PDB file of all heavy atoms in Angstrom:
ATOM      1  N   GLY A 248      97.386 111.411 103.050  1.00  0.00           N
ATOM      2  CA  GLY A 248      98.179 110.147 103.182  1.00  0.00           C
ATOM      3  C   GLY A 248      98.696 110.022 104.642  1.00  0.00           C
ATOM      4  O   GLY A 248      98.544 110.896 105.451  1.00  0.00           O
ATOM      5  N   LEU A 249      99.358 109.027 104.890  1.00  0.00           N
ATOM      6  CA  LEU A 249      99.966 108.724 106.167  1.00  0.00           C
ATOM      7  C   LEU A 249     101.127 109.555 106.414  1.00  0.00           C
ATOM      8  O   LEU A 249     102.025 109.650 105.568  1.00  0.00           O
ATOM      9  CB  LEU A 249     100.493 107.223 106.126  1.00  0.00           C
ATOM     10  CG  LEU A 249      99.503 106.051 106.164  1.00  0.00           C
ATOM     11  CD1 LEU A 249     100.277 104.769 106.305  1.00  0.00           C
ATOM     12  CD2 LEU A 249      98.648 106.194 107.362  1.00  0.00           C
ATOM     13  N   SER A 250     101.258 110.018 107.604  1.00  0.00           N
ATOM     14  CA  SER A 250     102.535 110.681 107.952  1.00  0.00           C
ATOM     15  C   SER A 250     103.511 109.764 108.630  1.00  0.00           C
ATOM     16  O   SER A 250     104.645 110.185 108.809  1.00  0.00           O
ATOM     17  CB  SER A 250     102.309 111.933 108.799  1.00  0.00           C
ATOM     18  OG  SER A 250     101.613 111.570 109.967  1.00  0.00           O
ATOM     19  N   GLY A 251     103.051 108.643 108.937  1.00  0.00           N
ATOM     20  CA  GLY A 251     103.942 107.626 109.521  1.00  0.00           C
ATOM     21  C   GLY A 251     103.147 106.383 109.943  1.00  0.00           C
ATOM     22  O   GLY A 251     101.964 106.296 109.592  1.00  0.00           O
ATOM     23  N   SER A 252     103.817 105.529 110.653  1.00  0.00           N
ATOM     24  CA  SER A 252     103.213 104.382 111.204  1.00  0.00           C
ATOM     25  C   SER A 252     103.978 103.734 112.313  1.00  0.00           C
ATOM     26  O   SER A 252     105.073 104.228 112.508  1.00  0.00           O
ATOM     27  CB  SER A 252     103.044 103.282 110.105  1.00  0.00           C
ATOM     28  OG  SER A 252     104.213 102.816 109.670  1.00  0.00           O
ATOM     29  N   GLY A 253     103.390 102.838 112.995  1.00  0.00           N
ATOM     30  CA  GLY A 253     104.040 102.271 114.124  1.00  0.00           C
ATOM     31  C   GLY A 253     103.639 100.793 114.300  1.00  0.00           C
ATOM     32  O   GLY A 253     102.757 100.240 113.738  1.00  0.00           O
ATOM     33  N   LEU A 254     104.415 100.185 115.283  1.00  0.00           N
ATOM     34  CA  LEU A 254     104.091  98.816 115.687  1.00  0.00           C
ATOM     35  C   LEU A 254     104.125  98.754 117.159  1.00  0.00           C
ATOM     36  O   LEU A 254     104.975  99.300 117.761  1.00  0.00           O
ATOM     37  CB  LEU A 254     105.172  97.855 115.141  1.00  0.00           C
ATOM     38  CG  LEU A 254     105.282  97.556 113.573  1.00  0.00           C
ATOM     39  CD1 LEU A 254     106.559  96.961 113.227  1.00  0.00           C
ATOM     40  CD2 LEU A 254     104.061  96.693 113.218  1.00  0.00           C
ATOM     41  N   LEU A 255     103.072  98.118 117.676  1.00  0.00           N
ATOM     42  CA  LEU A 255     103.111  97.706 119.141  1.00  0.00           C
ATOM     43  C   LEU A 255     103.613  96.234 119.106  1.00  0.00           C
ATOM     44  O   LEU A 255     102.955  95.460 118.477  1.00  0.00           O
ATOM     45  CB  LEU A 255     101.784  97.862 119.762  1.00  0.00           C
ATOM     46  CG  LEU A 255     101.335  99.348 119.937  1.00  0.00           C
ATOM     47  CD1 LEU A 255      99.976  99.368 120.562  1.00  0.00           C
ATOM     48  CD2 LEU A 255     102.315 100.079 120.780  1.00  0.00           C
ATOM     49  N   ILE A 256     104.626  95.997 119.781  1.00  0.00           N
ATOM     50  CA  ILE A 256     105.209  94.631 119.799  1.00  0.00           C
ATOM     51  C   ILE A 256     105.140  94.008 121.214  1.00  0.00           C
ATOM     52  O   ILE A 256     105.838  94.509 122.142  1.00  0.00           O
ATOM     53  CB  ILE A 256     106.705  94.692 119.339  1.00  0.00           C
ATOM     54  CG1 ILE A 256     106.780  95.505 118.077  1.00  0.00           C
ATOM     55  CG2 ILE A 256     107.189  93.248 119.150  1.00  0.00           C
ATOM     56  CD1 ILE A 256     108.209  96.029 117.711  1.00  0.00           C
ATOM     57  N   VAL A 257     104.335  93.043 121.380  1.00  0.00           N
ATOM     58  CA  VAL A 257     104.211  92.417 122.711  1.00  0.00           C
ATOM     59  C   VAL A 257     105.118  91.230 122.751  1.00  0.00           C
ATOM     60  O   VAL A 257     105.186  90.423 121.856  1.00  0.00           O
ATOM     61  CB  VAL A 257     102.747  91.943 122.931  1.00  0.00           C
ATOM     62  CG1 VAL A 257     102.587  91.220 124.261  1.00  0.00           C
ATOM     63  CG2 VAL A 257     101.731  93.131 122.745  1.00  0.00           C
ATOM     64  N   ASN A 258     105.811  91.146 123.839  1.00  0.00           N
ATOM     65  CA  ASN A 258     106.844  90.048 124.057  1.00  0.00           C
ATOM     66  C   ASN A 258     107.867  90.021 122.941  1.00  0.00           C
ATOM     67  O   ASN A 258     108.138  89.014 122.277  1.00  0.00           O
ATOM     68  CB  ASN A 258     106.161  88.671 124.161  1.00  0.00           C
ATOM     69  CG  ASN A 258     105.204  88.523 125.290  1.00  0.00           C
ATOM     70  OD1 ASN A 258     105.473  89.261 126.318  1.00  0.00           O
ATOM     71  ND2 ASN A 258     104.204  87.815 125.197  1.00  0.00           N
ATOM     72  N   PRO A 259     108.518  91.208 122.655  1.00  0.00           N
ATOM     73  CA  PRO A 259     109.561  91.149 121.654  1.00  0.00           C
ATOM     74  C   PRO A 259     110.807  90.403 122.028  1.00  0.00           C
ATOM     75  O   PRO A 259     111.045  90.171 123.166  1.00  0.00           O
ATOM     76  CB  PRO A 259     109.932  92.624 121.551  1.00  0.00           C
ATOM     77  CG  PRO A 259     109.642  93.187 122.848  1.00  0.00           C
ATOM     78  CD  PRO A 259     108.409  92.448 123.399  1.00  0.00           C
TER      79      PRO A 259
END
Side-chain angles (χ1 to χ4, degrees):
L249 285 184
S250 57
S252 68
L254 289 165
L255 290 179
I256 311 160
V257 179
N258 297 330

